[in-house]
Amino acid sequence: MFELDIRSRKPIYEQLVEKLKELIITEVLKTDEQLPSVRMLAQQLTINPNTIQKAYRELEVQGYIYSIKGKGSFVSPASDGLNTEKLLKVKKDIMKLLSEAMYLGVTADELITMIKEINTTIGGGIENDQN
Amino acid sequence: MFELDIRSRKPIYEQLVEKLKELIITEVLKTDEQLPSVRMLAQQLTINPNTIQKAYRELEVQGYIYSIKGKGSFVSPASDGLNTEKLLKVKKDIMKLLSEAMYLGVTADELITMIKEINTTIGGGIENDQN
Amino acid sequence: MFELDIRSRKPIYEQLVEKLKELIITEVLKTDEQLPSVRMLAQQLTINPNTIQKAYRELEVQGYIYSIKGKGSFVSPASDGLNTEKLLKVKKDIMKLLSEAMYLGVTADELITMIKEINTTIGGGIENDQN
Amino acid sequence: MFELDIRSRKPIYEQLVEKLKELIITEVLKTDEQLPSVRMLAQQLTINPNTIQKAYRELEVQGYIYSIKGKGSFVSPASDGLNTEKLLKVKKDIMKLLSEAMYLGVTADELITMIKEINTTIGGGIENDQN
DNA sequence: GTGGTCTAGACCACC
DNA sequence: GTGGTCTAGACCACG
């Protein structure tokens, strides 16, 4: 289910954060659905529980999940909170990457196609009016 | 000329790589133009020459510049050849970021507007974040 | 009546303690008034009775309520006696928070306004956060 | 220098965060001043380095310090960033505590005196116009 | 030498 | 059983 590259320069917990974020964004993991427990996942991936927890905590800080002491970790509702600053960061990152892509020869049309593709994958736009 | 953020969590050499990449992409530094020497730049930025070295090496690996022993480092021509694999990586990164942006509430229209904006201003300045 | 946030990082019993404290402070629950029974409240909130118990015990320790075996739990009269030490703790906490607020840029005037506001509306509703 | 209560229910790293925050707010530790290194402090307090690091990381997330990989940890400039949301939280907490204090018998005058006291300790108001 | 990551294994609080 | 904290000790990346 998760393919972690133990040799990668990118820390394991960051890889985990990314993978889980992706599952949440693509709604494979739905709102309020329970994530695998720290220990279970640790065992499955043969990784130290602390590493899993670090990933979960990071996801919690970023607003993607919430954890309840004796119960488990769960997916937060989308657009839950205060993503204004996060939005700014993501937009900047996108600008940077888009520039690089175009320098490498990607056309604007290709990019637009990608966007439309994602738009269907996610399931259409999400209403959000706090920006 | 370069504004490095000593407080950033991102290593200095990575910041350097990004800044230089940006200058190359926006064609402030043109094909076959010579980059400042390691020592000069180190002195200017009051930074350890090893750090500059590392950045230049990284840019060389990524195909943005080439070095000639005893002469210096120069900007590689765009679309040099090895961009196929890089393109795939960049595209993947873009997909990831676009998905995240949309999950956070950015609409497809907004993103398309951004793309068109870059398409026209390619060659202008691009802002960088500090993470 | 009670809106508990199951997603909060704060344990449920602590949330209960705070809510009840608030009701007592704002005199929605008056001196010697009986609190809802553990079982009733547990049923209403669809929460484990043990959790309610724990909250009531905590409130008793803090001097806000008293329990009579076989009868129930009741609101203690204000300024009951043991408030000297509690007062010290609360004052210390306030100093800490006020310092932090000012460090973050709140002016003394703003704070004084807040105090006056409470002074007049004491007996009105107070909003709680979820951390 | 630090008096940590190893037996307290409050996690050691949180105690550390509070102590350090206090030192920063009262400007005992000034902007860009270096904090003791993770290992040094761990040794001094006979505490595990990981625990210190957790505290430092938390302070970094909260915007009070910044850390640079091979150099050390340093105090962030005051009102550096995006404290809007933090401000709201702190204000709510203050309202709650002030209410409790007044219920316990503290007068508005006493509270105002406290504010003025802090105002001189910190060194006057800090200019800040992003709220 | 610095911060950052990871492991192995223990204990606690919550429900 | 769950998440959260802490320890002891190892290794890596950075400058």
Side-chain angles (χ1 to χ4, degrees):
Chain A
M1 185 165 187
F2 294 96
E3 294 175 7
L4 298 179
D5 181 2
I6 200 76
R7 290 170 224 146
S8 167
R9 305 189 47 206
K10 184 174 290 177
I12 295 176
Y13 86 95
E14 277 190 26
Q15 294 181 47
L16 258 173
V17 167
E18 291 202 348
K19 295 281 186 198
L20 287 168
K21 229 193 244 183
E22 191 186 319
L23 293 179
I24 293 172
I25 288 174
T26 57
E27 290 181 323
V28 173
L29 291 173
K30 302 205 176 65
T31 299
D32 288 319
E33 185 172 342
Q34 184 164 6
L35 297 169
S37 87
V38 171
R39 288 166 174 77
M40 289 266 291
L41 197 51
Q43 202 175 7
Q44 262 188 35
L45 304 177
T46 58
I47 274 181
N48 190 293
N50 285 331
T51 306
I52 309 282
Q53 214 191 3
K54 193 166 186 180
Y56 276 21
R57 176 154 195 203
E58 179 66 21
L59 283 167
E60 195 175 356
V61 167
Q62 289 189 29
Y64 287 91
I65 71 172
Y66 60 93
S67 298
I68 305 179
K69 243 194 228 188
K71 296 207 62 177
S73 299
F74 307 84
V75 177
S76 288
S79 311
D80 192 10
L82 1 124
N83 18 26
T84 328
E85 65 180 273
K86 282 189 56 179
L87 253 177
L88 278 176
K89 187 192 174 313
V90 172
K91 275 187 180 173
K92 272 185 183 171
D93 287 351
I94 289 178
M95 288 295 278
K96 210 193 301 179
L97 266 182
L98 288 180
S99 299
E100 189 168 348
M102 283 171 159
Y103 179 75
L104 292 173
V106 185
T107 67
D109 285 345
E110 276 186 276
L111 292 170
I112 291 174
T113 303
M114 288 167 73
I115 290 173
K116 284 179 181 159
E117 196 179 317
I118 299 167
N119 210 18
T120 59
T121 307
I122 291 195
I126 298 158
E127 269 139 52
N128 185 335
D129 57 345
Q130 62 186 356
N131 185 22
Chain B
M1 183 164 185
F2 296 95
E3 292 176 8
L4 299 178
D5 183 3
I6 193 81
R7 287 183 205 144
S8 169
R9 306 201 54 182
K10 185 174 290 179
I12 294 178
Y13 86 95
E14 277 189 31
Q15 292 184 49
L16 258 174
V17 167
E18 292 208 343
K19 292 286 184 195
L20 287 167
K21 234 194 241 185
E22 188 188 321
L23 293 179
I24 293 173
I25 288 174
T26 56
E27 294 182 321
V28 173
L29 290 173
K30 304 204 174 62
T31 299
D32 292 319
E33 185 173 343
Q34 182 165 7
L35 296 167
S37 83
V38 171
R39 284 171 201 153
M40 289 267 292
L41 200 50
Q43 200 175 10
Q44 254 189 40
L45 304 176
T46 56
I47 275 182
N48 191 314
N50 290 331
T51 307
I52 312 278
Q53 267 290 12
K54 191 162 187 179
Y56 276 20
R57 217 177 308 137
E58 179 67 18
L59 282 168
E60 200 174 348
V61 168
Q62 289 191 28
Y64 284 91
I65 68 174
Y66 61 93
S67 298
I68 303 178
K69 257 188 222 171
K71 291 206 61 176
S73 301
F74 305 85
V75 178
S76 293
S79 312
D80 201 6
L82 58 148
N83 30 19
T84 333
E85 62 182 272
K86 284 198 54 183
L87 246 179
L88 277 176
K89 188 191 175 309
V90 171
K91 273 189 179 173
K92 222 171 128 191
D93 287 350
I94 288 178
M95 286 294 280
K96 207 191 303 176
L97 267 182
L98 288 179
S99 298
E100 189 167 350
M102 282 171 149
Y103 182 76
L104 290 175
V106 184
T107 65
D109 285 345
E110 278 186 272
L111 291 172
I112 291 174
T113 304
M114 286 169 75
I115 290 172
K116 285 180 181 157
E117 196 178 317
I118 297 169
N119 210 18
T120 58
T121 44
I122 198 133
I126 299 153
E127 276 290 320
N128 260 339
D129 76 320
Q130 57 184 16
N131 185 25
Chain C
M1 184 166 185
F2 295 96
E3 292 175 8
L4 297 179
D5 182 4
I6 192 82
R7 287 184 206 144
S8 170
R9 305 202 55 180
K10 185 174 288 176
I12 293 178
Y13 87 93
E14 277 189 31
Q15 291 183 51
L16 257 174
V17 167
E18 292 207 345
K19 292 284 186 198
L20 287 167
K21 232 194 241 184
E22 188 188 320
L23 292 179
I24 294 173
I25 289 174
T26 56
E27 292 182 321
V28 173
L29 291 173
K30 303 207 175 59
T31 301
D32 291 320
E33 185 173 342
Q34 184 166 7
L35 296 168
S37 85
V38 170
R39 284 170 203 153
M40 289 266 292
L41 201 50
Q43 201 174 10
Q44 255 189 40
L45 304 176
T46 58
I47 274 182
N48 191 315
N50 290 332
T51 307
I52 313 278
Q53 268 290 12
K54 190 163 187 180
Y56 277 21
R57 216 178 307 136
E58 178 66 19
L59 282 168
E60 200 174 350
V61 168
Q62 288 190 28
Y64 284 92
I65 70 174
Y66 60 93
S67 298
I68 301 179
K69 257 189 222 171
K71 292 206 60 176
S73 300
F74 305 85
V75 177
S76 294
S79 313
D80 200 6
L82 57 149
N83 31 18
T84 335
E85 63 181 272
K86 283 198 52 181
L87 247 179
L88 278 176
K89 187 189 176 312
V90 171
K91 274 189 180 173
K92 223 173 126 189
D93 287 350
I94 289 178
M95 285 293 280
K96 208 192 302 178
L97 267 183
L98 289 179
S99 299
E100 189 167 349
M102 283 172 150
Y103 182 75
L104 290 175
V106 184
T107 66
D109 285 345
E110 277 186 274
L111 291 171
I112 291 173
T113 304
M114 287 169 73
I115 291 172
K116 285 180 181 158
E117 195 179 317
I118 298 169
N119 211 18
T120 58
T121 44
I122 199 135
I126 298 156
E127 277 288 324
N128 260 340
D129 75 321
Q130 58 183 16
N131 184 25
Chain D
M1 187 163 184
F2 296 95
E3 294 175 6
L4 299 178
D5 181 3
I6 201 79
R7 288 170 225 146
S8 168
R9 305 188 47 207
K10 184 174 291 177
I12 295 178
Y13 87 94
E14 277 189 27
Q15 294 182 47
L16 258 174
V17 167
E18 290 203 349
K19 295 282 186 197
L20 286 168
K21 230 194 241 183
E22 192 187 319
L23 292 180
I24 292 173
I25 288 174
T26 56
E27 291 183 323
V28 172
L29 290 173
K30 302 202 176 67
T31 299
D32 288 319
E33 186 172 341
Q34 183 164 7
L35 297 169
S37 87
V38 171
R39 289 166 174 79
M40 288 267 292
L41 197 52
Q43 200 175 10
Q44 259 188 37
L45 304 177
T46 57
I47 274 181
N48 190 294
N50 284 332
T51 306
I52 309 283
Q53 212 192 5
K54 192 167 187 179
Y56 276 21
R57 175 155 194 200
E58 179 66 22
L59 283 168
E60 195 174 356
V61 167
Q62 289 189 28
Y64 286 92
I65 70 173
Y66 60 93
S67 298
I68 305 178
K69 242 194 233 185
K71 294 206 63 175
S73 300
F74 307 85
V75 177
S76 289
S79 311
D80 192 9
L82 2 122
N83 16 28
T84 329
E85 66 179 90
K86 283 189 55 179
L87 253 179
L88 278 176
K89 186 192 176 312
V90 171
K91 275 187 178 172
K92 271 184 183 171
D93 287 350
I94 288 177
M95 289 295 278
K96 208 191 303 179
L97 266 183
L98 287 180
S99 299
E100 189 168 349
M102 282 170 159
Y103 178 75
L104 291 174
V106 185
T107 66
D109 285 345
E110 277 187 275
L111 292 171
I112 291 174
T113 305
M114 286 168 74
I115 290 172
K116 285 179 180 159
E117 198 178 314
I118 298 168
N119 212 18
T120 58
T121 307
I122 290 193
I126 298 159
E127 271 139 50
N128 185 335
D129 57 345
Q130 62 186 354
N131 186 23

